């Protein structure tokens, strides 16, 4: 009986997993460029969705135009974070920088609650047709959009990192920062691009999920955390690992909710993550590194 | 030889901060008649206690734990549940809660401390999330999200330790004692070993320092300090809810540590006071409070990365010199 | 076996791999007590790796290390320090946040007898032990002419002073065997000479040393015994004069 629903659980797991994957990739990109965890990643998710809701519902913009503008808005916030709070910080100590992003995320949530209020708002679905039936599983149009656009985004990202000069330069920075400086790559600019890119990915995730779950000023926190968990699960810093980690986390969570207990689904997701880390301290797809003297 | 001064490093200078703080703490209940402010003072002491443990863990071993609030909560819930559901006397319940937390921390320490950097942050954060969810869901024991009521007050020889004034003295007495013990430790051989830890394992190990044992001991000690604060908290407020021990509290504890100055014991107390008093000062503007809170935090960390207390000390020294 | 008994340190068929890279291959050697040995070889030959295997930072895939006839198999690095191994590092390792004296006192860590609780409570035993350690620390600093710097943060020291401090920390606990990874690397000619004199003094006091060094003249002039590593293999070992004449060594290393 329950097993009849397996395809349904898998589908909804993949849907939320795609969102986690997008957020996780954002974490990875910033990690690779700077070595830090950006605790404000979840705020990009929230900002993308909230700006989109304002633009479409309050200003009546068309979906594509609003989509582009929302992402641009989130990217500006990402650039601001990199330039002002992090750029002007006196310390290069990772923990201090990470805590600055914590302060930034508190401030962004505060500003968002001032601007948009504290009530949740919904975004209209991208397409209004009836849900599709796949066997005995139902899949909403929005979920299809999510799966499709996530795949598109990840593919584009892959092309960007492997086929364009800027993307290759960013990979060089991630690989060996000092070396990148020596061969004349403008590292500071690459870090800026990384922040903008990761903000764009976060905002995309927010815009995609908002029609299903709605959005409010503090909804980014949990999504950000899940994305972080997914990135760690995949072996922090690996883009494809993060995608796999996100999908895996989504599916595990949905299976845990369906078969075990929906009340404990988040707890189970984190428990699985802990077990993975305890067995493989570098994550599923990460490499172990040896220390040198 | 001028070096002869090391050993005797003017003991009164070491005692000065304790004397100042003890006097201030002794006088506060007379000066502050508002019970709300007095209990805020106790809360600062409790957080400072938890921050002290975290400060050792982050400042010495360089291990960032975002799970400190879970140990804070474990102490509070264990002691609360044992008294409310099992009718244990308060003293015994606190002892049992500390033992339990110590054991849990010991079991978690070895696999968790194998992790480094972000993975450690995530793992401890995950522990905290799990703890919060269990507290919310296990309603029969914890009272769920509405919290656990009816926790008995503490008393000793007929004196109610949970009254506002007595509790204030209790907390600050415990805090000062703990700070004294920690600073003793940091000035001696085990303390030097601890301070060498965040250099990476290779140096301390080659000097004969059992790094893993030291890190586990630190992790457990930090958990115990947090749990002690949690027990006291539970028997003072006589009510606890999951929300008081979630990951945001953990983040807050780490922030207190950083704002005070990593590895700086007195700084931790200062950081706890600063972050708990900040919302009070911003109370006049409730709507913009979170925004200002975030901004102030950011600015402090941006411009005083070594902590507010050292920065203020520096400033005071400059002013002193400038006018002297 | 007889030779093993009289040797301070013995390596038996030690193999060390990093993934596909064979860093040490079947290394077997004896280091007699009381001698100043040099470990030489081109960059990447495996010299540092060998020191790391000896002091337990790397676990070899095969083979064994014996100190005074006792196998160190499975003995963790921190216990080897208690057994009498001390070392310096190719890049000087000091704790940045601590002053010179505290850094030196780290070398006396294994000498402490008072437990954590004694120190926590600042017992009289704790105070006595600390006072003794500080006195001993200052004496050691004086021996290496660092005593006036005792309260400076190590960040303010020159490279020469850092190397001195690292050396004094290593000898603080009276080790049986001192492992020195390029103690003269980066120093000026005059500083090298002073370092050589210091090490000679130590050897005169009966300290056994293994020193990694690139400066051949230095090695030939001062050391008693030379070990030659080449691509992870032990090419030769013996007194400096023999090594200098060894055709294999000449073609592989000196001749280059
Ligand atoms: N932790 C490690 N992980 C992977 N490879 C390592 C590690 N340590 C050393 N190696 C490799 O082992 C080989 C030997 O290195 P080692 O540092 O022992 O050389 P060395 O003789 O000390 O050279 P140098 O004169 O440059 O210090 C090198 O190829 C090095 O890259
Ligand atoms: Mg080397």
């Amino acid at each position: 009986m329950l097993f009849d629903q397996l395809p349904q659980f898998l589908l909804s797991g993949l849907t939320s997993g795609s969102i986690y994957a997008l957020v996780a990739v954002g974490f990875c990109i910033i990690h690779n460029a700077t070595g830090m965890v950006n605790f404000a990643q979840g705020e990009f998710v929230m900002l993308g969705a909230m700006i989109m809701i304002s633009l479409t519902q309050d200003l009546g913009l068309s979906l594509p135009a609003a989509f582009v503008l929302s992402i641009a808005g989130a990217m500006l916030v990402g650039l601001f974070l990199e330039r002002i709070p992090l750029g002007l910080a006196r310390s290069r100590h990772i923990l201090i920088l990470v805590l600055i992003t914590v302060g930034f995320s508190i401030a962004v949530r505060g500003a968002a609650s001032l601007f948009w209020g504290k009530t949740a708002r919904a975004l209209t679905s991208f397409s209004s047709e009836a849900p599709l039936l796949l066997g005995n599983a139902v899949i909403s149009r929005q979920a299809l959009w999510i799966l499709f656009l996530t795949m598109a985004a990840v593919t584009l990202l892959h092309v960007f990192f492997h086929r364009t000069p800027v993307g290759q330069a960013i990979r060089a920075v991630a690989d060996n920062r000092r070396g990148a400086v020596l061969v004349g790559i403008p590292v500071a600019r690459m870090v800026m691009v990384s922040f903008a890119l990761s903000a764009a990915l976060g905002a995309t995730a927010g815009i995609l999920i908002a029609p299903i779950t709605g959005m409010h000023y503090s909804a980014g926190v949990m999504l950000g955390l899940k994305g972080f968990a997914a990135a760690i699960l995949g072996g922090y810093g690996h883009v494809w690992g993060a995608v796999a980690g996100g999908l895996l986390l989504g599916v595990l969570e949905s299976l845990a909710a369906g078969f075990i207990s929906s009340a404990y689904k988040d707890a189970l997701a984190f428990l699985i993550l802990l077990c993975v880390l305890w067995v493989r301290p570098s994550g599923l797809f990460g490499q172990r590194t040896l220390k040198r003297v | 030889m001028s070096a002869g001064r090391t050993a005797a490093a003017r003991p009164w200078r070491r005692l000065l901060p304790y004397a100042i703080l003890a006097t201030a703490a002794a006088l506060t209940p007379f000066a502050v008649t508002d019970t709300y402010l007095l209990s805020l003072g106790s809360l600062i002491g409790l957080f400072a206690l938890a921050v002290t443990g975290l400060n050792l863990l982050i400042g010495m071993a360089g291990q960032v734990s975002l799970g400190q609030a879970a140990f804070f909560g474990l102490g509070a819930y264990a002691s609360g549940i044992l008294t409310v559901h099992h009718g244990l006397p308060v003293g015994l319940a606190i002892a049992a809660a500390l033992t339990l937390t110590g054991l849990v921390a010991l079991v978690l320490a070895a696999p968790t401390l194998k992790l480094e950097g972000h993975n450690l942050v995530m793992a401890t954060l995950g522990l905290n999330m799990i703890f919060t969810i269990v507290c919310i869901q296990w309603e029969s024991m914890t009272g769920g999200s509405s919290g656990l009521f009816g926790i008995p007050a503490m008393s000793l020889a007929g004196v109610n330790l949970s009254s506002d004034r007595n509790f204030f003295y209790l907390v600050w007495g415990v805090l000062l004692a703990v700070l004294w013990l920690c600073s003793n430790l940091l000035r001696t051989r085990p303390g030097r070993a601890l301070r060498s830890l965040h250099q990476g394992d290779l140096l301390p190990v080659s000097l004969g320092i059992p790094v893993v044992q030291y890190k586990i001991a630190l992790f457990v000690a930090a958990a115990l300090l947090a749990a002690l604060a949690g027990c006291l908290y539970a028997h003072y407020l006589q009510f606890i809810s999951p929300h008081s021990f979630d990951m945001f509290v953990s983040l807050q504890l780490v922030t207190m540590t950083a704002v005070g100055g990593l590895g700086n014991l007195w700084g931790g107390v200062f950081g706890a006071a600063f972050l708990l008093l900040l919302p009070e000062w911003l109370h006049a503007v409730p709507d913009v409070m979170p925004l200002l809170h975030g901004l102030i935090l950011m600015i402090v960390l941006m411009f005083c990365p070594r902590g507010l207390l050292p920065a203020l000390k520096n400033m005071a020294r400059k002013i002193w010199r400038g006018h002297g | 076996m007889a030779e093993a008994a009289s040797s301070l340190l013995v390596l038996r068929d030690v193999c060390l791999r990093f993934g596909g890279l064979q860093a040490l291959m079947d290394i077997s050697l004896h280091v007699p007590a009381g001698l100043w040995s040099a470990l030489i070889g081109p960059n990447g030959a495996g010299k540092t790796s060998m020191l790391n295997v000896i002091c337990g930072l790397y676990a070899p895939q095969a083979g064994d290390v014996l100190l005074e006839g006792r196998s160190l198999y499975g003995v963790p690095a921190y216990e080897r320090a208690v057994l009498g191994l001390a070392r310096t590092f190719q890049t000087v390792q000091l704790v940045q946040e601590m002053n010179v004296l505290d850094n030196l006192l780290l070398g006396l860590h294994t000498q402490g007898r008072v437990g954590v609780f004694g120190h926590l409570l600042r017992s009289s035993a704790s105070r006595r032990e600390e006072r003794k350690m500080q006195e001993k620390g200052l004496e050691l600093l004086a021996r290496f002419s660092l005593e006036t710097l005792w309260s400076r943060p190590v960040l303010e020291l020159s490279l020469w002073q850092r190397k001195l401090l690292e050396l004094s920390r290593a000898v603080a606990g009276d080790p049986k065997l001192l492992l020195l990874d390029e103690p003269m690397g980066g120093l000026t000619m005059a500083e090298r000479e002073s370092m050589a004199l210091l090490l000679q003094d130590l050897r005169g006091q009966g300290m056994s040393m293994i020193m990694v060094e690139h400066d051949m003249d230095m090695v030939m002039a001062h050391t008693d015994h030379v070990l030659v590593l080449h691509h992870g293999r032990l090419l030769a070992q013996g007194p400096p004069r023999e090594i200098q004449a060894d055709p294999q060594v000449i073609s592989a290393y000196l001749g280059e």
Side-chain angles (χ1 to χ4, degrees):
Chain A
M1 10 120 274
L2 256 182
F3 280 94
D4 295 349
Q5 293 177 330
L6 187 64
Q8 184 70 59
F9 292 153
L10 284 178
L11 268 179
S12 59
L14 285 176
T15 311
S16 50
S18 302
I19 299 296
Y20 302 158
L22 285 176
V23 183
V25 173
F27 271 104
C28 281
I29 292 176
I30 287 186
H31 168 77
N32 286 348
T34 63
M36 59 183 278
V37 184
N38 171 25
F39 268 96
Q41 190 68 18
E43 306 323 317
F44 297 144
V45 180
M46 179 271 293
L47 281 177
M50 293 310 279
I51 298 175
M52 180 85 174
I53 291 170
S54 278
L55 290 180
T56 50
Q57 296 179 359
D58 302 343
L59 301 181
L61 257 64
S62 70
L63 274 182
F67 188 87
V68 171
L69 284 177
S70 318
I71 289 189
M75 285 167 90
L76 280 181
V77 177
L79 283 176
F80 175 83
L81 169 64
E82 200 279 325
R83 285 287 88 187
I84 310 294
L86 296 176
L88 296 184
R90 292 261 180 86
S91 165
R92 293 289 104 194
H93 193 302
I94 291 282
L95 178 62
I96 299 292
L97 295 180
V98 170
L99 288 175
I100 288 177
T101 68
V102 171
F104 184 75
S105 79
I106 296 175
V108 169
R109 278 202 297 282
S113 76
L114 275 184
F115 193 75
W116 285 296
K118 297 200 171 182
T119 48
R121 297 181 67 176
L123 180 64
T124 41
S125 284
F126 293 4
S127 40
S128 53
E129 288 90 345
L132 286 179
L133 264 166
L134 283 174
N136 54 3
V138 185
I139 183 163
S140 69
R141 297 279 166 168
Q142 186 64 27
L144 281 179
W145 273 110
I146 291 179
L147 293 174
F148 168 71
L149 284 177
T150 302
M151 266 187 324
V154 174
T155 314
L156 273 178
L157 209 61
H158 187 81
V159 172
F160 171 73
F161 277 130
H162 289 264
R163 294 276 181 276
T164 67
V166 176
Q168 282 166 339
I170 290 182
R171 283 202 304 142
V173 173
D175 203 43
N176 182 346
R177 202 186 172 89
R178 181 110 45 100
V181 174
L182 289 179
V183 297
I185 293 175
V187 171
R189 209 165 314 146
M190 294 305 134
V191 172
M192 284 167 69
V193 174
S194 302
F195 270 81
L197 201 59
S198 114
L201 284 167
T204 310
I207 295 169
L208 289 176
I209 194 75
I212 295 184
T213 61
M215 190 55 66
H216 59 100
Y217 79 106
S218 69
V221 178
M222 201 57 183
L223 288 167
L225 281 178
K226 293 281 178 65
F228 182 32
I232 296 277
L233 193 61
Y236 210 47
H238 297 247
V239 170
W240 285 106
V243 173
L247 294 177
L248 193 63
L249 190 70
V251 168
L252 285 175
E253 209 177 78
S254 147
L255 292 180
F259 290 120
I260 304 173
S261 145
S262 64
Y264 283 100
K265 86 169 180 155
D266 288 334
L268 285 167
F270 284 109
L271 193 63
I272 291 167
L273 175 74
L274 279 178
C275 293
V276 169
L277 283 179
W278 283 337
V279 177
R280 273 190 67 94
S282 48
L284 284 179
F285 306 101
Q287 294 139 349
R288 281 155 201 252
T289 45
L290 260 173
K291 275 176 255 169
R292 286 189 182 221
V293 202
Chain B
M1 186 163 55
S2 67
R5 267 174 35 201
T6 42
R10 282 176 293 178
W12 61 268
R13 277 196 69 160
R14 228 197 122 204
L15 289 175
L16 193 63
Y18 295 92
I20 294 174
L21 211 58
T23 320
L27 294 179
T28 306
F30 296 99
V32 179
T33 43
D34 183 352
T35 51
Y36 172 73
L37 283 183
L38 198 57
S39 69
L40 187 65
S42 303
L43 205 61
I44 291 174
L46 285 177
F47 269 81
L49 204 54
V51 166
T52 303
L54 196 59
N55 210 343
L56 294 180
L57 193 63
I58 302 180
M60 302 300 136
Q63 305 222 275
V64 182
S65 163
L66 276 183
Q68 196 69 354
F71 293 116
F72 189 29
L74 192 58
Y77 269 98
S79 186
I81 288 171
L82 287 173
T83 46
V84 172
H85 292 311
H86 302 280
L88 248 62
V90 175
L92 206 58
I94 292 183
L98 291 180
T99 315
L100 177 75
T101 312
L103 288 176
V104 170
L106 193 61
V107 170
L108 291 177
T112 306
L113 294 180
K114 257 196 286 175
L115 305 175
E116 290 185 329
H118 312 317
N119 292 15
L120 179 65
V121 168
M122 184 68 239
T124 49
L125 216 155
L127 284 174
N128 210 143
M129 306 288 291
I130 293 172
F131 176 79
T132 308
I133 294 168
V134 171
C135 284
I136 293 174
Q137 299 299 337
W138 197 12
E139 277 184 38
S140 59
M141 266 296 156
T142 64
S145 49
S146 48
L148 185 65
F149 292 87
I151 302 172
M154 283 176 290
S155 63
L156 189 73
V159 181
N160 176 12
L161 293 179
S162 298
S163 77
D164 288 312
R165 184 184 285 195
N166 290 349
F167 187 73
F168 183 87
Y169 285 136
L170 175 69
V171 169
W172 283 86
V174 170
L175 176 64
L176 283 172
V178 165
L179 287 172
W180 167 253
L181 294 177
C182 290
S183 82
N184 282 344
L185 191 71
L186 289 185
R187 290 155 42 86
T188 50
R189 184 176 65 99
R192 284 189 293 271
L194 289 176
R195 281 151 74 194
S196 76
L197 289 185
H198 65 168
Q199 190 84 2
D201 298 353
L202 300 175
L203 171 67
V205 152
S206 75
L207 292 167
I209 296 165
V211 170
V212 178
Q213 283 93 317
Y214 266 82
K215 281 186 178 169
I216 291 177
L218 262 187
F219 190 77
V220 174
L224 282 177
L225 284 176
L228 177 62
C231 293
L232 296 176
Y233 177 89
H235 294 287
Y236 171 58
L237 289 184
Q238 302 173 21
F239 159 73
I240 47 178
S241 70
H243 168 71
S244 314
F245 314 108
D246 61 15
M247 59 152 282
F248 294 103
V249 178
S250 280
L251 265 176
Q252 174 120 350
L253 286 168
V254 174
T255 314
M256 286 171 175
T257 313
V259 164
L262 291 179
N264 182 333
L265 288 177
W266 295 105
V269 180
F270 187 85
F274 181 77
L275 262 96
L276 287 176
L277 289 174
L278 192 56
E280 299 304 316
W281 293 326
L282 299 178
H283 227 69
V285 281
D287 286 342
V288 285
M289 192 184 93
L291 175 60
L292 285 179
H293 183 167
L295 285 179
I296 292 175
L297 201 64
M298 226 161 70
I299 290 169
V300 168
L301 290 167
M302 279 167 69
F303 298 110
C304 313
R306 318 192 113 250
L308 260 187
L309 191 62
L312 289 177
K313 255 194 201 161
N314 245 346
M315 207 150 77
R317 199 170 298 145
K318 262 184 208 155
I319 293 172
W320 182 256
R321 291 235 178 92
H323 293 266
Chain C
M1 216 53 240
E3 202 179 356
S6 68
S7 298
L8 177 63
L9 181 83
V10 175
L11 265 64
R12 270 197 208 137
D13 306 322
V14 168
C15 292
L16 179 73
R17 278 186 301 274
F18 296 109
L21 183 111
Q22 185 92 35
L24 295 175
M25 253 177 278
D26 288 327
I27 305 279
S28 296
L29 55 83
H30 301 267
V31 176
L35 292 193
W36 179 357
S37 312
L39 180 57
I40 64 171
N43 287 107
K47 304 179 296 293
T48 300
S49 302
M50 194 163 118
L51 295 194
N52 287 341
V53 165
I54 296 173
C55 73
L57 295 181
Y58 292 164
Q61 275 80 15
D64 199 2
V65 179
L66 292 89
L67 185 70
E68 294 186 310
R70 182 190 155 174
S71 166
L72 296 182
Y73 183 80
V75 178
Y78 67 88
E79 280 179 21
R80 297 185 190 200
V82 181
L83 292 177
L85 285 177
R87 70 170 294 174
T88 66
F89 295 84
Q90 192 164 350
T91 47
V92 181
Q93 298 283 317
L94 298 170
V95 182
Q96 309 275 318
E97 291 79 6
M98 300 199 325
N99 68 20
V100 169
L101 181 60
D102 281 347
N103 264 287
L104 178 88
L105 292 179
L106 278 175
L108 290 169
H109 181 81
T110 55
Q111 315 268 305
R113 292 293 162 266
V114 177
V116 169
F117 287 98
H119 285 304
L120 262 179
L121 297 169
R122 205 167 149 68
S123 66
S124 57
S126 152
R127 270 177 287 174
R128 210 171 322 120
E129 185 179 280
E130 277 301 305
R131 207 176 321 117
K132 272 211 193 110
M133 276 202 181
Q134 300 210 339
E135 277 162 18
K136 184 158 180 206
L138 288 170
E139 258 168 46
L140 270 159
L141 286 180
R143 219 169 108 194
F144 291 88
S145 340
L146 290 168
E147 75 277 22
T148 53
L149 298 170
W150 67 272
S151 64
R152 324 289 314 183
V154 290
L155 280 174
E156 292 177 10
L157 301 189
S158 67
L159 177 66
W160 163 241
Q161 291 165 332
R162 285 168 199 232
K163 290 239 171 201
L164 274 185
L165 179 55
E166 209 192 24
L167 179 64
S168 56
R169 183 183 67 197
V171 301
D174 270 327
K176 292 186 179 126
L177 176 62
L178 190 56
L179 306 170
L180 304 164
D181 201 346
E182 305 200 14
M184 308 189 188
L187 298 181
T188 65
M189 221 35 232
E191 289 164 349
R192 283 161 171 269
E193 288 298 341
S194 319
M195 180 61 87
L197 287 178
L198 280 173
L199 295 178
Q200 222 164 21
D201 268 3
L202 284 174
R203 196 250 324 256
Q205 291 156 24
M207 179 82 70
S208 314
M209 297 182 277
I210 301 181
M211 171 181 81
V212 174
E213 188 46 62
H214 281 294
D215 184 338
M216 275 304 121
D217 297 335
M218 208 50 108
V219 167
M220 295 306 158
H222 294 287
T223 62
D224 313 308
H225 189 76
V226 180
L227 305 159
V228 187
L229 271 183
H230 191 64
H231 291 316
R233 284 183 193 283
L234 188 67
L235 204 60
Q237 57 176 326
R241 212 178 300 273
E242 273 176 33
I243 295 297
Q244 222 165 1
D246 190 318
Q248 248 188 317
V249 176
I250 293 173
S251 73
Y253 182 43
L254 299 175
E256 277 171 6

